[in-house]
Amino acid sequence: MRKKSLYTIEIPYKINQHIKENLQNNIPFASEYITEFEIDLAKNTLSYSLSDDSKNDDVVDKVNRVISLVKPARDGDLTVCLFDQTHIDNQSTSIDVFNKLIEDGQVFEVSPGHYSFRGQFLALYNKLNERIMDFTKELNAEEIVLPIATPLEDLININFFKKTPQFANFLSILKNDIDTITEFAQDVDKEDKSINHHLSSPKHMCRSAICLNSYKIFKDRILSKDNYTTLTVFGKAFRNEEKNIKSLERLHEFSMRELIFFGDKEYVNQQLEKCRKWFVNYLEISQLNAKVISASDPFFANSVKQLEFYQLAEQSKIEVAILNPESENYVA
C-alpha cells in the first residue's frame, strides 16, 4: 500500500490552545480531500494528508483561507478562566477507556459518529442526567419535548447559516411522484447508490442544538416578571463534525439536556449564575480535572473574527471543559 504524503503548513501567526481548537473545528471543512490532519502547538504548524495528492494546490489555498479566517481580531488570549481545577491528576489509570468500552460492548459504533450505549456506561449516562434533572427542580424548570426537525425558514430568519452552516444535517424525502418512488425502490440496491435525483429539496434540518425550536413558543409575546420561564428539554442533536470524529468527544448524533431561560437580562443572568455554581460544586465533589472558561461558538463565516470577539469580550458563552486524559483535550 502506498504511503500517504504528509503536507505541512507553517501558521503565520502565533497560536494558543484556543486558536488550536478553532482550527480543529474548521479545518475538516476546508476540503473534502483532507483525510487526516494534526495541529502542532509547539511547532506552530498544521499537517494533513489527502485522499488525492493531485488536489493539493487547491487544498493549500483553501486551508490557508481557513487559517486566515481563524486568526484572532486582536493579539492575546481573550478567554477568561472562571474556575480552575486543572491541577488534579486524573491519569491514574493506564486503560484506554474508549477502546475498552468498545471491546466490552458497552459502546457500539453503528456508523461513524453514531453510537449505541449499554451496561455501566449507560448507567453513568443516565445518572448524570438524573443529577441535572434534580437541579432543574431548584430552578422551577418546566420539562417539555421539542421536535428534532427545525424548519429552514426559521433558521434563515435567525441567520443560522451565516454563522455555523458547517453543522447542517438536512432532512429530505422522496419526491411525491409514482415514477420516482418506483424507480428508487428498484434501483436502490444497484451498484450505483446515488439517490440525490430522487429527493425533494429539504425544508428542515436536524437540530444542531435543542433550544432552536423553543423560541417559536414565545414569538410575538411580551413577557412580564410573572411569566418569566425556565424550560428543560432532553433529546438528540445532530452536527456534521467530519474528520473530528475519533471517539465520543465529537459525534454526529449526541444527547443534550438543556436549560433555556426566557425573561429579562437580570432573570437570565441569575439563572445562569445558579448553573455555574452547580457545575463548580459538581466538579469539586467529583474531583475532575476541569475548568470553567469563557468561550466562543465554532463560527464558520466571513464575519468569524467579529462574532468570536463579541462573544469573548461579552463573556456571553461559558463552557465547562473537562480533561480527557487519553487525548489530552479539554472537552466542553
Side-chain angles (χ1 to χ4, degrees):
M1 182 181 294
R2 184 178 68 86
K3 186 177 180 181
K4 288 185 178 180
S5 298
L6 189 67
Y7 303 94
T8 299
I9 293 177
E10 291 187 9
I11 299 170
Y13 52 85
K14 183 63 179 174
I15 62 172
N16 53 33
Q17 184 62 35
H18 176 70
I19 298 171
K20 178 184 176 181
E21 290 170 4
N22 280 348
L23 285 168
Q24 186 88 23
N25 287 331
N26 289 302
I27 288 298
F29 306 104
S31 170
E32 61 182 316
Y33 296 107
I34 295 174
T35 55
E36 294 179 289
F37 70 95
E38 183 177 354
I39 300 162
D40 191 315
L41 199 58
K43 295 181 180 179
N44 219 76
T45 58
L46 166 68
S47 301
Y48 61 88
S49 56
L50 302 176
S51 59
D52 184 347
D53 290 329
S54 69
K55 305 294 184 181
N56 188 45
D57 287 346
D58 180 58
V59 172
V60 166
D61 176 64
K62 291 179 178 178
V63 168
N64 279 322
R65 281 163 57 190
V66 171
I67 290 173
S68 177
L69 280 174
V70 171
K71 181 182 178 180
R74 296 190 181 183
D75 293 334
D77 190 351
L78 293 176
T79 58
V80 176
C81 187
L82 305 174
F83 172 77
D84 191 344
Q85 198 167 266
T86 57
H87 60 280
I88 292 177
D89 182 11
N90 290 144
Q91 304 191 52
S92 56
T93 176
S94 60
I95 298 173
D96 181 345
V97 177
F98 174 68
N99 285 321
K100 179 64 174 171
L101 289 169
I102 295 285
E103 181 184 320
D104 291 348
Q106 295 190 52
V107 173
F108 179 80
E109 184 184 63
V110 177
S111 65
H114 303 269
Y115 290 87
S116 63
F117 306 145
R118 62 188 293 194
Q120 287 181 304
F121 186 80
L122 179 59
L124 177 63
Y125 173 100
N126 288 332
K127 179 57 70 175
L128 179 58
N129 185 40
E130 288 174 18
R131 289 286 300 274
I132 298 175
M133 269 304 290
D134 288 341
F135 170 60
T136 66
K137 295 170 185 174
E138 297 178 28
L139 299 175
N140 296 315
E142 175 189 354
E143 185 163 23
I144 62 168
V145 173
L146 295 171
I148 287 173
T150 305
L152 296 190
E153 182 181 356
D154 293 350
L155 295 170
I156 291 168
N157 287 339
I158 63 170
N159 290 324
F160 175 87
F161 297 112
K162 293 186 182 298
K163 298 175 183 177
T164 53
Q166 75 277 21
F167 286 148
N169 279 262
F170 295 108
L171 284 167
S172 185
I173 59 174
L174 291 171
K175 293 176 181 176
N176 295 322
D177 176 84
I178 187 171
D179 292 333
T180 298
I181 295 170
T182 302
E183 182 183 329
F184 169 79
Q186 292 172 344
D187 295 349
V188 70
D189 58 351
K190 291 184 178 178
E191 187 173 335
D192 179 10
K193 292 184 171 58
S194 175
I195 64 171
N196 292 347
H197 60 290
H198 295 297
L199 299 178
S200 299
S201 295
K203 295 180 181 178
H204 295 83
M205 185 189 84
C206 292
R207 62 190 179 193
S208 60
I210 307 294
C211 61
L212 289 176
N213 284 321
S214 66
Y215 304 112
K216 246 185 170 178
I217 300 171
F218 297 93
K219 184 179 179 181
D220 298 326
R221 286 178 56 186
I222 297 175
L223 300 180
S224 65
K225 288 194 174 183
D226 293 335
N227 54 19
Y228 288 169
T229 302
T230 294
L231 301 178
T232 183
V233 57
F234 180 81
K236 293 290 186 180
F238 303 82
R239 294 183 185 179
N240 173 24
E241 289 285 3
E242 266 297 323
K243 303 301 184 299
N244 279 322
I245 293 176
K246 296 177 182 176
S247 65
L248 297 180
E249 283 188 11
R250 302 288 185 91
L251 298 170
H252 287 317
E253 175 188 350
F254 55 97
S255 298
M256 298 180 77
R257 160 69 63 187
E258 282 204 12
L259 283 153
I260 314 164
F261 309 122
F262 291 89
D264 65 12
K265 187 173 182 178
E266 181 182 6
Y267 172 79
V268 171
N269 284 339
Q270 286 175 351
Q271 298 293 75
L272 286 173
E273 180 60 15
K274 291 175 185 176
C275 292
R276 189 188 66 80
K277 287 181 177 178
W278 185 91
F279 271 102
V280 166
N281 182 60
Y282 179 81
L283 294 173
E284 289 176 333
I285 292 172
S286 58
Q287 285 294 285
L288 290 168
N289 184 314
K291 54 189 175 181
V292 179
I293 55 174
S294 60
S296 63
D297 288 313
F299 297 119
F300 195 90
N302 290 331
S303 55
V304 60
K305 293 182 178 67
Q306 293 88 339
L307 292 168
E308 180 189 56
F309 176 78
Y310 174 80
Q311 273 198 320
L312 290 173
E314 294 290 316
Q315 294 186 27
S316 59
K317 182 181 178 70
I318 304 296
E319 286 184 346
V320 177
I322 302 175
L323 177 69
N324 176 359
E326 185 64 28
S327 69
E328 297 184 349
N329 290 331
Y330 278 90
V331 183

